[in-house]
């Protein structure tokens, strides 16, 4: 169970998030995007603070959040590559967009509560380099979610390879491949290999 402070978002979005969180054990409070309001609403170091970065976040607020060692996420209409880089360097654990669905929001929150980085898969983070192969043009978000080995397995799945074929190509045991596939499905929040491959292909298109 966690407490989430939503700062700088309008009433409609706040109420919508409350409805989503009603299905979980998380609680939510709304705050203005000011230092005073944040201090009033933050309850403890385990809180997740989600800030509307479209409105701009002052250095004073950033310093406070870092000093309190809070889990911080930004919500925005879109992010540039530079904004993603600087945010992650500053220790921000989540980069969310306003059009995320219920499953995405729940996954984002649970990932952040585990002190891992979550980036909305639909944020475009592609360093333009037309020399790279299409298979490598995947969004930064997916690379953050998966280990390098899981990513390799997913790419081979997308080529239509079965577990025994992946096992031979990567020179690992077939049972290890099965474990990687299960982990990929869980991390991508999908139910089967087909959905995982479709997710992979969608990321390529976005990138």
């Amino acid at each position: 169970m966690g407490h989430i402070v939503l700062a700088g978002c309008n009433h409609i979005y706040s109420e919508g998030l409350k409805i989503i969180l009603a299905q979980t054990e998380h609680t939510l409070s709304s705050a203005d995007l000011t230092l005073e309001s944040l201090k009033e609403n933050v309850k403890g170091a385990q809180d997740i603070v989600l800030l509307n970065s479209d409105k701009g976040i002052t250095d004073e607020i950033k310093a406070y959040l870092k000093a309190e060692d809070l889990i911080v996420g930004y919500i925005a209409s879109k992010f540039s590559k530079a904004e993603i880089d600087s945010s992650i360097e500053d220790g921000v654990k989540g980069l969310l967009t306003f059009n995320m669905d219920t499953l995405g929001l729940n996954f984002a929150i649970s990932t952040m509560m585990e002190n891992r980085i979550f980036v909305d898969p639909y944020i475009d983070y592609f360093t333009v380099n037309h020399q790279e192969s299409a298979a490598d043009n995947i969004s930064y978000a997916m690379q953050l979610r998966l280990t390098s080995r899981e990513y390799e397995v997913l790419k081979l799945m997308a080529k239509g390879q079965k577990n025994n074929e992946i096992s031979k190509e990567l020179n690992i045991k077939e049972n290890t491949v099965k474990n990687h596939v299960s982990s990929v499905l869980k991390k991508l929040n999908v139910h089967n290999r087909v959905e995982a491959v479709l997710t992979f292909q969608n990321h390529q298109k976005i990138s």
Side-chain angles (χ1 to χ4, degrees):
M1 178 176 177
H3 179 67
I4 299 164
V5 179
L6 183 66
C9 294
N10 64 42
H11 177 72
I12 294 175
Y13 187 84
S14 177
E15 290 302 308
L17 189 53
K18 282 182 181 178
I19 292 171
I20 291 172
L21 294 176
Q23 305 169 29
T24 70
E25 296 181 347
H26 305 307
T27 58
L28 176 76
S29 63
S30 297
D32 295 326
L33 199 55
T34 65
L35 183 60
E36 294 73 20
S37 185
L38 286 173
K39 287 182 176 180
E40 288 176 5
N41 286 278
V42 168
K43 295 181 178 179
Q46 294 304 308
D47 285 2
I48 293 178
V49 181
L50 298 178
L51 309 165
N52 181 356
S53 62
D54 281 344
K55 295 186 175 181
I57 302 165
T58 66
D59 290 338
E60 186 181 36
I61 288 176
K62 290 179 180 179
Y64 163 71
L65 297 172
K66 186 169 288 189
E68 294 296 317
D69 199 27
L70 295 163
I71 300 172
V72 178
Y74 291 167
I75 305 177
S77 302
K78 61 181 180 179
F79 292 92
S80 68
K81 179 182 180 299
E83 288 170 332
I84 295 173
D85 286 336
S86 62
S87 298
I88 292 175
E89 287 175 6
D90 287 343
V92 174
K93 292 296 182 184
L95 295 172
L96 294 68
T97 54
F98 286 111
N99 60 353
M100 288 178 66
D101 59 18
T102 301
L103 287 175
L105 284 167
N106 283 331
F107 184 78
I109 290 168
S110 62
T111 300
M112 292 169 64
M113 291 194 75
E114 293 170 4
N115 204 31
R116 295 188 292 123
I117 296 173
F118 174 88
V119 181
D120 182 351
Y122 293 96
I123 293 173
D124 185 6
Y125 185 100
F126 174 45
T127 303
V128 178
N129 181 351
H130 298 293
Q131 302 301 316
E132 295 180 348
S133 66
D136 290 327
N137 294 348
I138 196 166
S139 74
Y140 187 54
M142 185 174 285
Q143 291 188 49
L144 284 172
R145 289 192 198 180
L146 305 180
T147 66
S148 58
R149 180 63 85 184
E150 289 167 350
Y151 180 48
E152 286 180 310
V153 169
L154 177 58
K155 287 199 292 184
L156 294 176
M157 286 167 57
K159 292 180 179 179
Q161 293 192 14
K162 298 178 180 178
N163 286 356
N164 62 333
E165 295 171 323
I166 295 173
S167 172
K168 291 176 183 177
E169 177 146 348
L170 297 181
N171 195 28
I172 56 179
K173 293 180 179 179
E174 189 171 344
N175 194 52
T176 302
V177 175
K178 289 180 181 177
N179 290 335
H180 285 316
V181 171
S182 295
S183 182
V184 167
L185 299 185
K186 183 177 180 181
K187 288 183 177 181
L188 297 185
N189 198 26
V190 296
H191 301 96
N192 52 54
R193 295 168 76 101
V194 174
E195 290 183 5
V197 170
L198 287 173
T199 300
F200 175 82
Q201 292 171 341
N202 286 336
H203 277 261
Q204 288 180 292
K205 290 174 185 177
I206 292 163
S207 296

